[in-house]
Amino acid sequence: YKMIFISWFYRSLIKIGGMQMKLLTFPFGGMFQENRDRDGLFLDAVYILCMEDRPKPKLDVEGMLDHAKEVVLLFSDKVAEWTVDYKNIKVRVELVDRTDFCQSYKATNINSFIKYRPYFDIPIKRSYALYDAQNRNMKYIWMIDDDIMVSKENYLRAIYALKIGKTAVGFHVPKFPDISTIDHIERIVYNQEPCISMTGSCMFLNVEKATGYFPFAYNEDLFFYMQQTNPNEIVSGGIVRQSENTPWLNFDRVRHEQFGDFIYNAFKKRFMNWVNGPIMWRDEKENQLRRLEELFTHTADPVLKNVLVEASEAMRNVCIDEVKQFVDDCHFAEWVYK
């Protein structure tokens, strides 16, 4: 990548291949630029979020054993055939759905939008990885989605950040942004780039310092960051790449995302100083419905129109009391509200 960084109070602008992208770097996700070349073992474990119907992870699985004591491949209930290719006993396969932790998690993390996408398992896998690491007295772990590609510089930067005391190191994904389907549609309709928050699709953690969990909702990684006590200890290790896909073609995903996307965007407006004062959830809901309506009127694409109809219907089903209860249950840190 050819990158040019321009630091602002709450965001950074970068250029990748001549295209300008906006990165949200405040109140968490500030760019961590330092690294120290380090050889040998450092991580206790690497947890890779896998799916049975997807190809091998982009990450060199057995190569990670040069840097970690073990690699754990997390699946839901069925294992992909390619797992037999890994012969090293330090590559462990875990079926999360068959654990007691998973049953307890599902019983205590309930919201009405689960019905749209009951197979959505990313928050459970991430929460399980953190639970497993805590239960086995690990200190440093790396969680990564199977479609993320990282550089050596990304790795070294993240390791050094943990070494000097950071709690969490995430990354920004601007090449194919890890954003909601509605943000993707807005990008297409208005031909403008969104301001991208730091993702949890590639996350290094100091397990001893991390608090909270990953709620059972879209944007669970961002909600996890918002539970950490010190935003200055939640940094971005730079830019990583993600395999391209077309999430706006999946209506179940579109419906499911509205709950978590709505909640995070209400906070994001305040992080970016677009809006001040306490969150008035009913007003935010009306604003979001207007946003969807305006997108509908500004596109002639029948596929995008259908997606927006589904999103609007799901958004109308958002219950404000449920939103308030969800936010209360997350126990966000004090800095989130300042």
Side-chain angles (χ1 to χ4, degrees):
Y1 297 117
K2 180 181 179 182
M3 292 181 286
I4 302 173
F5 286 87
I6 305 173
S7 297
W8 286 9
F9 178 58
Y10 56 83
R11 63 177 177 238
S12 296
L13 298 178
I14 69 170
K15 285 187 178 179
I16 299 180
M19 181 179 296
Q20 190 175 81
M21 310 287 281
K22 297 178 288 186
L23 307 183
L24 184 60
T25 56
F26 177 86
F28 63 87
M31 288 293 172
F32 188 82
Q33 304 279 6
E34 302 176 72
N35 69 62
R36 298 287 187 276
D37 201 350
R38 181 186 179 90
D39 295 323
L41 199 65
F42 184 80
L43 298 166
D44 290 296
V46 179
Y47 292 88
I48 307 179
L49 280 63
C50 305
M51 296 178 67
E52 178 207 5
D53 59 351
R54 298 227 299 212
K56 284 185 177 183
K58 299 296 183 181
L59 192 71
D60 178 8
V61 173
E62 291 185 319
M64 283 299 95
L65 293 172
D66 292 338
H67 308 285
K69 296 176 184 176
E70 67 173 346
V71 175
V72 186
L73 304 176
L74 298 179
F75 289 88
S76 289
D77 194 45
K78 295 181 180 179
V79 177
E81 293 181 359
W82 49 256
T83 57
V84 299
D85 294 340
Y86 300 119
K87 308 299 183 183
N88 197 309
I89 61 172
K90 293 181 180 180
V91 177
R92 177 162 60 97
V93 175
E94 189 72 71
L95 294 174
V96 177
D97 276 5
R98 300 185 185 181
T99 64
D100 292 339
F101 172 87
C102 180
Q103 305 313 312
S104 175
Y105 179 96
K106 288 184 175 180
T108 56
N109 287 269
I110 301 172
N111 63 73
S112 62
F113 276 67
I114 294 172
K115 65 186 177 185
Y116 293 121
R117 205 174 169 207
Y119 50 86
F120 180 61
D121 62 1
I122 294 176
I124 304 174
K125 286 176 178 175
R126 287 180 177 153
S127 289
Y128 175 80
L130 181 59
Y131 161 81
D132 186 60
Q134 291 170 335
N135 199 43
R136 298 170 65 200
N137 296 316
M138 296 183 185
K139 185 172 183 179
Y140 299 120
I141 64 170
W142 180 7
M143 286 188 274
I144 184 169
D145 292 1
D146 60 3
D147 62 346
I148 297 294
M149 294 156 273
V150 301
S151 67
K152 181 180 179 180
E153 289 72 21
N154 291 143
Y155 172 81
L156 292 174
R157 199 175 293 129
I159 290 300
Y160 186 63
L162 290 181
K163 187 177 180 181
I164 66 171
K166 302 299 182 183
T167 299
V169 186
F171 293 83
H172 286 84
V173 191
K175 181 67 174 179
F176 187 77
D178 186 8
I179 56 178
S180 72
T181 52
I182 300 305
D183 284 339
H184 274 298
I185 290 173
E186 193 168 62
R187 172 177 63 86
I188 294 168
V189 171
Y190 297 137
N191 193 29
Q192 61 186 25
E193 298 302 325
C195 190
I196 304 164
S197 297
M198 183 178 74
T199 181
S201 56
C202 180
M203 180 190 302
F204 291 74
L205 279 179
N206 182 327
V207 177
E208 295 177 347
K209 300 183 72 173
T211 60
Y213 70 109
F214 298 87
F216 204 2
Y218 179 72
N219 280 333
E220 80 292 336
D221 48 354
L222 300 171
F223 297 140
F224 174 76
Y225 290 141
M226 291 162 62
Q227 295 173 50
Q228 307 312 306
T229 56
N230 186 349
N232 294 320
E233 293 185 359
I234 311 165
V235 297
S236 174
I239 307 304
V240 296
R241 295 174 57 203
Q242 178 185 25
S243 299
E244 293 193 14
N245 56 67
T246 53
W248 50 87
L249 300 182
N250 185 330
F251 283 1
D252 288 341
R253 174 170 178 159
V254 171
R255 299 184 193 102
H256 169 256
E257 283 184 358
Q258 299 315 303
F259 184 75
D261 200 37
F262 166 64
I263 294 173
Y264 177 67
N265 280 337
F267 286 100
K268 184 178 179 180
K269 289 179 182 178
R270 284 150 182 83
F271 294 161
M272 297 182 67
N273 291 332
W274 285 349
V275 178
N276 293 315
I279 296 175
M280 308 302 291
W281 289 107
R282 296 187 190 282
D283 292 343
E284 292 291 344
K285 180 176 177 178
E286 291 302 316
N287 291 337
Q288 179 66 3
L289 286 170
R290 279 195 294 271
R291 176 194 181 198
L292 295 172
E293 183 179 347
E294 288 174 3
L295 284 169
F296 184 89
T297 60
H298 281 83
T299 181
D301 188 315
V303 174
L304 298 186
K305 280 185 174 291
N306 287 337
V307 171
L308 291 165
V309 168
E310 297 294 335
S312 296
E313 180 180 348
M315 191 63 223
R316 280 190 286 271
N317 289 332
V318 169
C319 172
I320 299 303
D321 288 340
E322 183 177 24
V323 168
K324 292 178 179 178
Q325 186 62 56
F326 178 89
V327 171
D328 287 345
D329 291 344
C330 282
H331 300 292
F332 293 141
E334 290 184 8
W335 58 265
V336 173
Y337 299 98
K338 292 182 179 179

